[in-house]
CSV table of all heavy atoms in Angstrom, one decimal:
chain,number,residue,atom,x,y,z
A,1,SER,N,57.5,-48.6,73.7
A,1,SER,CA,58.3,-48.3,74.8
A,1,SER,C,58.1,-46.8,75.2
A,1,SER,O,58.2,-45.9,74.4
A,1,SER,CB,59.8,-48.5,74.4
A,1,SER,OG,60.1,-49.9,74.2
A,2,LYS,N,57.9,-46.6,76.5
A,2,LYS,CA,57.8,-45.3,77.0
A,2,LYS,C,59.1,-44.5,76.9
A,2,LYS,O,60.2,-45.0,77.1
A,2,LYS,CB,57.3,-45.3,78.5
A,2,LYS,CG,56.0,-46.0,78.7
A,2,LYS,CD,54.9,-45.3,78.1
A,2,LYS,CE,53.5,-45.9,78.4
A,2,LYS,NZ,52.4,-45.2,77.8
A,3,GLY,N,59.0,-43.2,76.6
A,3,GLY,CA,60.1,-42.4,76.5
A,3,GLY,C,60.7,-42.3,75.1
A,3,GLY,O,61.6,-41.5,74.9
A,4,MET,N,60.2,-43.1,74.2
A,4,MET,CA,60.7,-43.1,72.8
A,4,MET,C,59.8,-42.4,71.8
A,4,MET,O,60.1,-42.4,70.6
A,4,MET,CB,60.9,-44.6,72.4
A,4,MET,CG,61.8,-45.4,73.2
A,4,MET,SD,63.5,-44.7,73.2
A,4,MET,CE,63.9,-44.9,71.5
A,5,GLY,N,58.8,-41.8,72.3
A,5,GLY,CA,57.8,-41.2,71.4
A,5,GLY,C,58.3,-40.1,70.5
A,5,GLY,O,58.0,-40.1,69.3
A,6,ILE,N,59.1,-39.1,71.1
A,6,ILE,CA,59.5,-38.0,70.3
A,6,ILE,C,60.5,-38.5,69.3
A,6,ILE,O,60.5,-38.1,68.1
A,6,ILE,CB,60.2,-36.9,71.2
A,6,ILE,CG1,59.1,-36.3,72.1
A,6,ILE,CG2,60.9,-35.9,70.4
A,6,ILE,CD1,59.6,-35.3,73.1
A,7,VAL,N,61.4,-39.4,69.7
A,7,VAL,CA,62.4,-39.9,68.7
A,7,VAL,C,61.7,-40.7,67.6
A,7,VAL,O,62.0,-40.5,66.4
A,7,VAL,CB,63.5,-40.8,69.4
A,7,VAL,CG1,64.4,-41.4,68.4
A,7,VAL,CG2,64.2,-40.0,70.4
A,8,GLY,N,60.7,-41.5,68.0
A,8,GLY,CA,60.0,-42.3,67.0
A,8,GLY,C,59.2,-41.4,66.0
A,8,GLY,O,59.1,-41.7,64.8
A,9,PHE,N,58.6,-40.4,66.5
A,9,PHE,CA,57.9,-39.5,65.7
A,9,PHE,C,58.8,-38.8,64.8
A,9,PHE,O,58.5,-38.5,63.6
A,9,PHE,CB,57.0,-38.5,66.5
A,9,PHE,CG,56.3,-37.5,65.6
A,9,PHE,CD1,55.0,-37.9,65.1
A,9,PHE,CD2,56.7,-36.3,65.4
A,9,PHE,CE1,54.3,-37.1,64.3
A,9,PHE,CE2,56.0,-35.4,64.6
A,9,PHE,CZ,54.8,-35.8,64.0
A,10,ALA,N,60.0,-38.4,65.3
A,10,ALA,CA,61.0,-37.7,64.4
A,10,ALA,C,61.4,-38.6,63.3
A,10,ALA,O,61.7,-38.1,62.2
A,10,ALA,CB,62.1,-37.3,65.3
A,11,GLU,N,61.5,-39.9,63.5
A,11,GLU,CA,61.8,-40.8,62.4
A,11,GLU,C,60.9,-40.7,61.3
A,11,GLU,O,61.3,-40.8,60.1
A,11,GLU,CB,61.8,-42.3,62.9
A,11,GLU,CG,63.0,-42.6,63.9
A,11,GLU,CD,64.3,-42.8,63.1
A,11,GLU,OE1,64.3,-42.7,61.9
A,11,GLU,OE2,65.3,-43.1,63.8
A,12,ASN,N,59.6,-40.4,61.5
A,12,ASN,CA,58.6,-40.3,60.5
A,12,ASN,C,58.9,-39.1,59.6
A,12,ASN,O,58.9,-39.1,58.4
A,12,ASN,CB,57.2,-40.2,61.1
A,12,ASN,CG,56.7,-41.5,61.5
A,12,ASN,OD1,56.0,-42.2,60.8
A,12,ASN,ND2,57.0,-41.9,62.7
A,13,LEU,N,59.3,-38.0,60.3
A,13,LEU,CA,59.6,-36.7,59.5
A,13,LEU,C,60.9,-37.0,58.8
A,13,LEU,O,61.2,-36.5,57.7
A,13,LEU,CB,59.8,-35.6,60.5
A,13,LEU,CG,58.5,-35.1,61.1
A,13,LEU,CD1,58.8,-33.9,62.1
A,13,LEU,CD2,57.4,-34.6,60.1
A,14,LEU,N,61.9,-37.7,59.4
A,14,LEU,CA,63.2,-37.9,58.8
A,14,LEU,C,63.1,-38.7,57.5
A,14,LEU,O,63.7,-38.3,56.5
A,14,LEU,CB,64.0,-38.8,59.8
A,14,LEU,CG,65.5,-39.0,59.4
A,14,LEU,CD1,66.2,-37.6,59.5
A,14,LEU,CD2,66.2,-40.0,60.4
A,15,VAL,N,62.3,-39.7,57.4
A,15,VAL,CA,62.2,-40.5,56.2
A,15,VAL,C,61.5,-39.7,55.1
A,15,VAL,O,61.7,-39.9,53.9
A,15,VAL,CB,61.5,-41.8,56.4
A,15,VAL,CG1,62.3,-42.7,57.3
A,15,VAL,CG2,60.1,-41.7,56.9
A,16,MET,N,60.6,-38.8,55.5
A,16,MET,CA,59.9,-38.0,54.5
A,16,MET,C,60.7,-36.7,54.1
A,16,MET,O,60.4,-36.1,53.0
A,16,MET,CB,58.5,-37.6,55.0
A,16,MET,CG,57.5,-38.7,55.0
A,16,MET,SD,55.8,-38.2,55.3
A,16,MET,CE,55.9,-37.9,57.0
A,17,TYR,N,61.7,-36.3,54.9
A,17,TYR,CA,62.4,-35.0,54.6
A,17,TYR,C,63.1,-35.1,53.3
A,17,TYR,O,63.1,-34.2,52.5
A,17,TYR,CB,63.3,-34.7,55.8
A,17,TYR,CG,63.9,-33.3,55.7
A,17,TYR,CD1,63.2,-32.3,56.2
A,17,TYR,CD2,65.1,-33.1,55.0
A,17,TYR,CE1,63.7,-31.0,56.1
A,17,TYR,CE2,65.6,-31.8,54.9
A,17,TYR,CZ,64.9,-30.7,55.5
A,17,TYR,OH,65.3,-29.5,55.3
A,18,ALA,N,63.9,-36.2,53.1
A,18,ALA,CA,64.6,-36.4,51.9
A,18,ALA,C,63.7,-37.0,50.8
A,18,ALA,O,63.7,-36.6,49.7
A,18,ALA,CB,65.9,-37.2,52.1
A,19,CYS,N,63.0,-38.1,51.3
A,19,CYS,CA,62.1,-38.8,50.4
A,19,CYS,C,62.7,-39.2,49.1
A,19,CYS,O,62.2,-38.8,48.0
A,19,CYS,CB,60.8,-38.0,50.2
A,19,CYS,SG,59.4,-39.1,49.7
A,20,GLY,N,63.8,-39.9,49.1
A,20,GLY,CA,64.5,-40.3,47.9
A,20,GLY,C,65.7,-41.2,48.1
A,20,GLY,O,66.0,-41.5,49.2
A,21,GLY,N,66.3,-41.5,47.0
A,21,GLY,CA,67.6,-42.3,47.0
A,21,GLY,C,68.6,-41.6,46.2
A,21,GLY,O,68.5,-40.5,45.8
A,22,PHE,N,69.7,-42.4,45.9
A,22,PHE,CA,70.8,-41.8,45.1
A,22,PHE,C,70.8,-42.4,43.7
A,22,PHE,O,70.6,-43.6,43.5
A,22,PHE,CB,72.1,-42.2,45.8
A,22,PHE,CG,72.2,-41.6,47.3
A,22,PHE,CD1,72.2,-42.5,48.3
A,22,PHE,CD2,72.2,-40.3,47.5
A,22,PHE,CE1,72.3,-42.0,49.6
A,22,PHE,CE2,72.2,-39.7,48.8
A,22,PHE,CZ,72.3,-40.6,49.8
A,23,LEU,N,71.1,-41.6,42.8
A,23,LEU,CA,71.2,-42.0,41.4
A,23,LEU,C,72.4,-42.9,41.3
A,23,LEU,O,73.5,-42.5,41.6
A,23,LEU,CB,71.4,-40.8,40.5
A,23,LEU,CG,71.5,-41.1,39.0
A,23,LEU,CD1,70.1,-41.7,38.5
A,23,LEU,CD2,71.8,-39.8,38.2
A,24,GLY,N,72.2,-44.2,40.9
A,24,GLY,CA,73.3,-45.2,40.9
A,24,GLY,C,73.3,-46.0,42.1
A,24,GLY,O,74.2,-46.8,42.3
A,25,GLY,N,72.4,-45.7,43.1
A,25,GLY,CA,72.4,-46.5,44.3
A,25,GLY,C,73.3,-46.0,45.4
A,25,GLY,O,74.0,-45.0,45.2
A,26,MET,N,73.4,-46.8,46.5
A,26,MET,CA,74.2,-46.4,47.6
A,26,MET,C,75.7,-46.4,47.3
A,26,MET,O,76.4,-45.7,47.9
A,26,MET,CB,73.9,-47.3,48.8
A,26,MET,CG,72.6,-47.0,49.5
A,26,MET,SD,72.5,-45.5,50.4
A,26,MET,CE,73.5,-45.8,51.8
A,27,HIS,N,76.1,-47.2,46.3
A,27,HIS,CA,77.5,-47.3,46.0
A,27,HIS,C,78.0,-45.9,45.4
A,27,HIS,O,79.1,-45.5,45.7
A,27,HIS,CB,77.8,-48.4,45.1
A,27,HIS,CG,79.2,-48.9,45.1
A,27,HIS,ND1,79.6,-49.6,46.2
A,27,HIS,CD2,80.2,-48.7,44.3
A,27,HIS,CE1,80.9,-49.9,46.0
A,27,HIS,NE2,81.3,-49.4,44.9
A,28,SER,N,77.1,-45.2,44.7
A,28,SER,CA,77.5,-43.9,44.2
A,28,SER,C,77.7,-42.9,45.4
A,28,SER,O,78.5,-42.0,45.3
A,28,SER,CB,76.4,-43.3,43.3
A,28,SER,OG,75.2,-43.1,44.0
A,29,TYR,N,77.0,-43.1,46.5
A,29,TYR,CA,77.2,-42.3,47.7
A,29,TYR,C,78.6,-42.6,48.2
A,29,TYR,O,79.3,-41.6,48.6
A,29,TYR,CB,76.1,-42.6,48.7
A,29,TYR,CG,76.3,-42.1,50.1
A,29,TYR,CD1,76.4,-40.7,50.3
A,29,TYR,CD2,76.4,-42.9,51.2
A,29,TYR,CE1,76.6,-40.2,51.6
A,29,TYR,CE2,76.6,-42.4,52.4
A,29,TYR,CZ,76.7,-41.1,52.7
A,29,TYR,OH,76.9,-40.6,53.9
A,30,MET,N,79.0,-43.8,48.3
A,30,MET,CA,80.3,-44.2,48.8
A,30,MET,C,81.4,-43.6,47.9
A,30,MET,O,82.4,-43.1,48.4
A,30,MET,CB,80.4,-45.7,48.9
A,30,MET,CG,79.4,-46.4,49.8
A,30,MET,SD,79.5,-45.7,51.5
A,30,MET,CE,78.2,-46.7,52.2
A,31,HIS,N,81.2,-43.7,46.6
A,31,HIS,CA,82.2,-43.1,45.7
A,31,HIS,C,82.4,-41.6,45.9
A,31,HIS,O,83.5,-41.1,45.9
A,31,HIS,CB,81.8,-43.4,44.3
A,31,HIS,CG,82.3,-44.8,43.8
A,31,HIS,ND1,83.5,-45.0,43.2
A,31,HIS,CD2,81.7,-46.0,43.9
A,31,HIS,CE1,83.6,-46.3,42.9
A,31,HIS,NE2,82.5,-46.9,43.3
A,32,ALA,N,81.2,-40.9,46.1
A,32,ALA,CA,81.3,-39.5,46.4
A,32,ALA,C,82.1,-39.2,47.7
A,32,ALA,O,82.9,-38.2,47.7
A,32,ALA,CB,79.9,-38.9,46.4
A,33,LEU,N,81.8,-40.0,48.7
A,33,LEU,CA,82.6,-39.8,50.0
A,33,LEU,C,84.1,-40.0,49.7
A,33,LEU,O,84.9,-39.3,50.2
A,33,LEU,CB,82.0,-40.8,51.0
A,33,LEU,CG,80.8,-40.4,51.8
A,33,LEU,CD1,80.4,-41.6,52.7
A,33,LEU,CD2,81.0,-39.1,52.6
A,34,ALA,N,84.4,-41.1,49.0
A,34,ALA,CA,85.8,-41.4,48.7
A,34,ALA,C,86.5,-40.2,47.9
A,34,ALA,O,87.6,-39.8,48.2
A,34,ALA,CB,85.9,-42.7,48.0
A,35,ARG,N,85.7,-39.7,46.9
A,35,ARG,CA,86.3,-38.6,46.1
A,35,ARG,C,86.5,-37.4,47.0
A,35,ARG,O,87.5,-36.7,46.8
A,35,ARG,CB,85.4,-38.3,44.9
A,35,ARG,CG,85.3,-39.4,43.9
A,35,ARG,CD,84.5,-38.9,42.7
A,35,ARG,NE,84.1,-40.0,41.8
A,35,ARG,CZ,82.9,-40.5,41.7
A,35,ARG,NH1,81.9,-40.0,42.5
A,35,ARG,NH2,82.6,-41.5,40.9
A,36,CYS,N,85.5,-37.1,47.8
A,36,CYS,CA,85.7,-36.0,48.7
A,36,CYS,C,86.9,-36.1,49.6
A,36,CYS,O,87.7,-35.1,49.8
A,36,CYS,CB,84.4,-35.8,49.6
A,36,CYS,SG,84.4,-34.5,50.7
A,37,ALA,N,87.1,-37.3,50.2
A,37,ALA,CA,88.2,-37.5,51.1
A,37,ALA,C,89.5,-37.3,50.4
A,37,ALA,O,90.4,-36.6,50.9
A,37,ALA,CB,88.1,-38.9,51.7
A,38,VAL,N,89.6,-37.9,49.2
A,38,VAL,CA,90.9,-37.8,48.4
A,38,VAL,C,91.1,-36.4,48.0
A,38,VAL,O,92.3,-35.9,48.0
A,38,VAL,CB,90.8,-38.8,47.2
A,38,VAL,CG1,92.0,-38.5,46.3
A,38,VAL,CG2,90.8,-40.2,47.7
C-alpha cells in the first residue's frame, strides 16, 4: 500500500529495538502494571 512505507519500515526497527520478551511471559507484564496502579 502506498503511503505506508515509513510506518512499515519503522515496524522493523521497532521489533529489533527491544528484541526480547518478559521473564515469566506477558502475564508478568500485566502483574507489574497492576502492582504499579495499586
Side-chain angles (χ1 to χ4, degrees):
S1 294
K2 299 294 184 179
M4 298 302 295
I6 293 178
V7 176
F9 180 80
E11 287 284 0
N12 284 265
L13 293 179
L14 187 67
V15 297
M16 284 190 286
Y17 191 88
C19 199
F22 302 114
L23 184 64
M26 286 291 287
H27 205 71
S28 66
Y29 168 62
M30 300 303 180
H31 277 268
L33 279 176
R35 293 188 193 104
C36 178
V38 171

